[in-house]
Amino acid sequence: MTEKIRLTFLGTSDAIPTPERNHTAILLAYGKENILVDCGEGTQTQFRKAKLNLGKVTRLLITHWHGDHVLGIPGLLQTLALNDYKKTLYIYGPKGTKKFMKNLLDVFVFTGNLSLNVKEVDEGKFFETNDFYLESKRMTHGTICNAYAFVKKGKRRIDKNKIKKLKLPHGPLMKKLKEGKNITHEGKKYFAKDLTFIEGDKKISFVLDTSENSKIVPFVKDSDLLVCESTFGSELTEKAKEHKHLTSKQAAEIAKKSKSKKLFLTHIGQRYSRNLAEILEQAKKIFKNAQLPKDLDSVEI
Ligand SMILES: [Zn+2]
Ligand SMILES: [Zn+2]
């Protein structure tokens, strides 16, 4: 079974939303999982516009606590509670997230009950099933900020041609290989990595709000889709550095160096509302397979 991963861009603006672009929020749907990456102001209404069910959200990944990435959280939680959300909502964010979440819910009269599980995550894998895992990496952005990756694990397949050539018997040895274990046959050792390959693995990375830093490329390496912030055009490289953001050209360089397959630019500065083509072209010159999604655009991977 190769279940698809669907990404919906609910908000693609930078700190100041425009009539066309909402604050950052991206929904990744895979099987029963609906993972929301950031939750800027207005996210819950974006859900409705996209005809998506807010009640299906399973996890919220917070990159950092700048307003444009979190101001939608109280509204989202209030609506979930009013709609009798029965699950536990798992919320992940950088250090400080527990305190921020508490403060956020202390500023108004919260109606209803909601089961929340808030976890502060630093670097590495922080959630794993048989099928996929989530990992994070610390970025550089004025305030503590995480990049995230969703990795769907592939299935290990046997290279039948090699097995035939080596005249290895079917049966228990093949089962071992499928499990990634090395085998011995007639006194000779065979390595699983030489006789098998991984198929159907997918990686989607989210780099939202950071200045250029050496951790990004290794973290997003071989992404099938890299979602990367692009607050500025390359003519404002100095400004990007000063405000700890990336330019579309830098995002494209990251995509190229990391050997990612596709790049989606987001967190677009409002100054580019009328010349989006320009920042997209700057990226495309370096990395052809770049796109600049609109709010409510959706893609299957
Ligand atoms: Zn931002
Ligand atoms: Zn920020």
Side-chain angles (χ1 to χ4, degrees):
M1 191 175 65
T2 50
E3 200 148 9
K4 294 278 184 193
I5 304 161
R6 177 166 285 279
L7 232 65
T8 307
F9 291 84
L10 296 165
T12 59
S13 81
D14 75 341
I16 300 169
T18 67
E20 297 80 30
R21 291 184 188 270
N22 221 70
H23 273 168
T24 295
I26 306 159
L27 185 73
L28 184 153
Y30 174 65
K32 287 194 171 71
E33 289 286 344
N34 279 273
I35 300 166
L36 183 61
V37 182
D38 283 338
C39 185
E41 184 187 347
T43 298
Q44 58 167 328
T45 37
Q46 294 296 87
F47 262 85
R48 302 205 77 163
K49 285 182 194 161
K51 298 193 168 48
L52 292 167
N53 186 347
L54 202 64
K56 285 190 174 168
V57 173
T58 48
R59 293 167 212 283
L60 168 60
L61 271 49
I62 299 166
T63 58
H64 65 300
W65 280 86
H66 277 157
D68 55 317
H69 298 255
V70 296
L71 286 171
I73 296 175
L76 178 126
L77 297 184
Q78 181 63 88
T79 299
L80 288 181
L82 292 173
N83 283 341
D84 220 9
Y85 183 83
K86 289 271 188 272
K87 299 185 278 274
T88 293
L89 179 67
Y90 291 86
I91 299 176
Y92 310 86
K95 196 166 181 285
T97 292
K98 285 186 180 176
K99 188 192 83 191
F100 278 120
M101 278 303 301
K102 189 187 171 297
N103 293 348
L104 206 68
L105 293 170
D106 276 347
V107 294
F108 65 104
V109 181
F110 190 82
T111 311
N113 286 314
L114 201 57
S115 165
L116 301 177
N117 188 328
V118 183
K119 290 183 178 179
E120 294 181 349
V121 296
D122 192 19
E123 296 206 332
K125 270 187 204 176
F126 58 89
F127 180 74
E128 184 165 18
T129 70
N130 288 334
D131 206 19
F132 75 90
Y133 62 86
L134 299 170
E135 62 181 339
S136 62
K137 198 78 177 174
R138 182 87 66 84
M139 294 288 106
T140 48
H141 182 59
T143 185
I144 183 167
C145 182
N146 285 342
Y148 291 109
F150 169 95
V151 182
K152 181 188 161 191
K153 299 177 193 173
K155 295 260 184 294
R156 190 178 289 273
R157 305 261 186 232
I158 289 174
D159 188 327
K160 285 181 183 153
N161 286 332
K162 284 185 182 165
I163 298 298
K164 220 173 162 182
K165 261 191 195 160
L166 295 167
K167 296 194 173 73
L168 288 168
H170 290 272
L173 287 179
M174 294 302 113
K175 193 170 168 265
K176 269 191 165 179
L177 279 179
K178 262 191 173 174
E179 288 164 0
K181 293 174 186 156
N182 302 330
I183 56 167
T184 310
H185 180 60
E186 292 176 349
K188 201 170 177 243
K189 197 169 181 187
Y190 297 91
F191 293 98
K193 68 173 172 50
D194 299 331
L195 302 179
T196 61
F197 59 96
I198 304 287
E199 193 181 62
D201 52 329
K202 296 274 179 225
K203 177 171 175 179
I204 298 161
S205 304
F206 301 91
V207 177
L208 295 164
D209 286 22
T210 184
S211 56
E212 219 182 13
N213 71 74
S214 59
K215 288 191 198 172
I216 308 176
V217 170
F219 182 66
V220 306
K221 190 142 190 32
D222 296 322
S223 292
D224 292 275
L225 173 56
L226 166 62
V227 179
C228 191
E229 76 126 298
S230 164
T231 314
F232 295 98
S234 56
E235 74 290 352
L236 292 175
T237 306
E238 273 312 303
K239 213 176 175 85
K241 197 174 166 190
E242 186 190 323
H243 292 270
K244 297 194 165 64
H245 280 292
L246 295 171
T247 66
S248 57
K249 189 177 166 210
Q250 287 167 333
E253 280 161 355
I254 291 164
K256 192 178 174 187
K257 283 184 197 155
S258 64
K259 297 194 165 51
S260 292
K261 293 198 179 88
K262 238 184 225 173
L263 168 67
F264 274 35
L265 301 171
T266 187
H267 202 274
I268 309 298
Q270 62 166 335
R271 58 165 60 78
Y272 299 104
S273 303
R274 288 200 177 79
N275 53 355
L276 291 167
E278 194 183 316
I279 51 170
L280 181 59
E281 273 319 303
Q282 290 173 0
K284 279 193 164 181
K285 268 185 201 156
I286 292 157
F287 186 81
K288 239 189 190 167
N289 206 358
Q291 289 184 46
L292 202 159
K294 301 190 297 292
D295 274 24
L296 309 183
D297 275 0
S298 172
V299 62
E300 225 173 51
I301 300 120

